[in-house]
Amino acid sequence: MLKVENISFGYQRNTFLKDLSFHVNAGEHISIIGESGSGKSTLLKLLYGEYDLNSGSIFWKNTQILGPSHNLVIDYPFIKYVAQEFDLMPYISVAENIGKFLSNFYPEEKQNRVNALIEVVELTEFANTKVQYLSGGQKQRVAIARAIALQPEILILDEPFSHIDNFKKHSLRRSLFSYLKNNNIACIVATHDKNDVLPFADNMLVLHDGSLMAQGTPEQLYKNPQSPLIASFFGEYNIIEPYGIVYAHNITVTNNSQLKATVLKSFYNGNYYLIEALLNNNTIFFKSLNQYKAGDIVSIAIKEQRL
Ligand code: ADP
Ligand code: MG
């Protein structure tokens, strides 16, 4: 288990990350979310010992993870990290990059392992392509495959799909995250995208300005998003008194209700329209299968969002 206990850290004299504590079990999938600058990348770097903590401790099982003042080279074999920027060898192939740290003692086994990893990141057709000819998203996938090559116990991923287009993203996520689950590899993933979190994460940490604002399962935080920041991660929302935070999909058009909204605009979203409307002089957003025109008056019902 990874035990993070009361850690604090600052780049200069000021403390930036303040007193964070959480645990990660073997094989568990943890998502770290938060706005840009909230401290996600900093926290990930602390987890594998890139910086010295100001206070607190990090343990994986019985090994304490210590910063550079205690270690000449950061290299804990049980932990691998894929940064937002990845350093690959440009002049050798995808397969050679992925196999770089695998032993050459059993060449056939190595080849099979590399092929399996290439499949996980869906790059089979590029196996023999030199990395310098790949796109940013393809390089990111090579870096991920190289990081899991030696079967770490924890994999740390900083926005792993940020360079990868929507055409590939959905299947790649399923492939990678199922591989990690099936191999009992814990993963800690910083992300902006709820689609990386809702179907996959066992737990979520919400960072805000260097503090841990909330933690819980995706379902707990989705159903009871405690703050507008958390709700905004999951989708369009409103603040409507006396209900509090109301997701756009929890407002429905009904035949008859006391609540009348005046439509301002309909936005096409594929399988629904997002309707912008005025309710008691406040702008609200709701989802609807029908399109409405500016000026239409609709009766709405608000469903309370509770666990
Ligand atoms: P996130 O990954 O959530 O966008 P970061 O952890 O990268 O956030 O950054 C958190 C804060 O720390 C930001 O204010 C950023 O400017 C600052 N920061 C990040 N890296 C460094 C660094 N190497 N030196 C000084 N400040 C840094
Ligand atoms: Mg970052």
Side-chain angles (χ1 to χ4, degrees), residues 40-41 84 158-159:
K40 302 181 297 296
S41 297
Q84 270 176 296
D158 202 345
E159 302 193 17

Side-chain angles (χ1 to χ4, degrees), residues 36-53:
S36 273
S38 59
K40 302 181 297 296
S41 297
T42 305
L43 173 60
L44 295 185
K45 288 174 183 172
L46 292 172
L47 296 182
Y48 77 96
E50 178 151 329
Y51 303 118
D52 293 309
L53 299 172

Side-chain angles (χ1 to χ4, degrees), residues 50 128 155 195 211 221 281 289 291 303 306:
E50 178 151 329
N128 299 315
L155 179 66
N195 297 311
S211 297
L221 295 188
N281 287 324
L289 295 176
Q291 184 176 18
K303 192 176 113 198
R306 286 280 177 271

